[in-house]
Amino acid sequence: MLLFLFLSPSDPGSVDLEKVSNVIVDQSLKDQIFSREAGRICFTIVQAEAKQTNGNVFRRNLLNRLQQEFKAREETRKRSTHEWVCLVSFICNIFDYLKVNNMPMMALVHPVYDCLFRLAQSDALKNEEEVDCLVLQLHGIGDQLEKMNLQLMDELFNLLRDGFLLQEDLSSMGRLLLLEILEFRAGGWTLSETAQKYYYSEVTD
């Protein structure tokens, strides 16, 4: 509906783009499914605004709001794990879709890594919801992130490897998810057909 309101008015300048960006962020923090699609929606609005008004009001407001939410991320995590994983999903989705000259936005690289490093800490690895979020983001944008900063990706996977090998209080599902993502990266950000059958049969059983 937000997209329809923006793309269809006779006067695009009449739309309150700051309000639209805030509504998208607010909804993304409540609904994880929406947070995974929000990047696509934001990309479409950014493209439409640039075409219709040659402006960047929406993107500027979106990034300002993202910065605010990122700064408050630890408070968000303490308040609600659900909101926290939605925030991570949203930031990673924006990184995936919003490009500058067909390249990921450099300003988002370190915030994305910071979120993933937080999910790789021992207290987060005990929480299946956080492990699932971490693995999902790495499946989606790990390859892009690695190209932007290989050293940080190596450090992140050292943490994940240590967690898998040394942390005794992981759930069986959390351990399986970590093993799968370790193998996923080792295989060049892909899994063999045999490995896919193994991991996904284990998840569904």
Side-chain angles (χ1 to χ4, degrees):
M1 188 174 75
L2 288 171
L3 208 51
F4 176 78
L5 286 173
F6 177 70
L7 295 176
S8 303
S10 55
D11 178 14
S14 68
V15 177
D16 186 341
L17 292 174
E18 183 175 2
K19 185 175 181 180
V20 172
S21 63
N22 284 329
V23 169
I24 290 175
V25 175
D26 289 341
Q27 186 62 29
S28 294
L29 294 180
K30 298 174 190 172
D31 183 342
Q32 195 167 8
I33 294 174
F34 183 85
S35 72
R36 295 171 190 168
E37 295 299 321
R40 193 191 314 271
I41 296 169
C42 291
F43 171 75
T44 305
I45 296 175
V46 166
Q47 294 291 100
E49 184 190 9
K51 183 177 180 181
Q52 294 180 16
T53 67
N54 200 30
N56 66 349
V57 173
F58 176 80
R59 184 169 72 176
R60 185 174 67 249
N61 285 318
L62 176 69
L63 294 177
N64 285 341
R65 177 67 191 280
L66 264 184
Q67 186 177 43
Q68 293 171 19
E69 296 296 338
F70 175 74
K71 286 180 178 177
R73 63 194 180 283
E74 197 60 38
E75 290 81 358
T76 299
R77 183 178 181 271
K78 290 174 183 174
R79 181 176 66 248
S80 166
T81 301
H82 177 73
E83 280 188 37
W84 158 237
V85 297
C86 284
L87 174 62
V88 175
S89 295
F90 181 57
I91 291 175
C92 291
N93 206 247
I94 294 299
F95 172 83
D96 192 20
Y97 278 97
L98 289 196
K99 310 288 187 186
V100 176
N101 297 324
N102 292 320
M103 290 290 291
M105 295 180 65
M106 286 299 299
L108 291 177
V109 173
H110 281 279
V112 169
Y113 266 118
D114 285 347
C115 288
L116 299 184
F117 269 93
R118 185 63 188 88
L119 290 171
Q121 301 303 310
S122 59
D123 59 337
L125 292 180
K126 292 188 286 188
N127 186 320
E128 282 184 17
E129 191 175 359
E130 291 183 276
V131 177
D132 186 62
C133 177
L134 171 64
V135 169
L136 194 65
Q137 307 320 315
L138 287 169
H139 269 279
I141 63 171
D143 191 19
Q144 291 183 68
L145 266 181
E146 183 175 78
K147 290 171 183 173
M148 303 301 289
N149 194 317
L150 175 59
Q151 181 181 344
L152 283 178
M153 188 61 73
D154 284 341
E155 291 175 12
L156 178 63
F157 269 78
N158 286 340
L159 269 181
L160 297 181
R161 192 172 297 106
D162 287 348
F164 174 75
L165 294 172
L166 304 175
Q167 193 165 329
E168 297 179 354
D169 52 0
L170 298 180
S171 69
S172 56
M173 179 57 72
R175 195 173 296 280
L176 182 72
L177 288 168
L178 287 181
L179 180 60
E180 188 268 351
I181 200 63
L182 289 169
E183 188 167 341
F184 186 68
R185 187 195 182 207
W189 300 103
T190 187
L191 282 178
S192 68
E193 188 176 340
T194 304
Q196 280 188 339
K197 287 179 180 176
Y198 169 73
Y199 287 113
Y200 293 105
S201 67
E202 288 290 325
V203 168
T204 55
D205 283 351

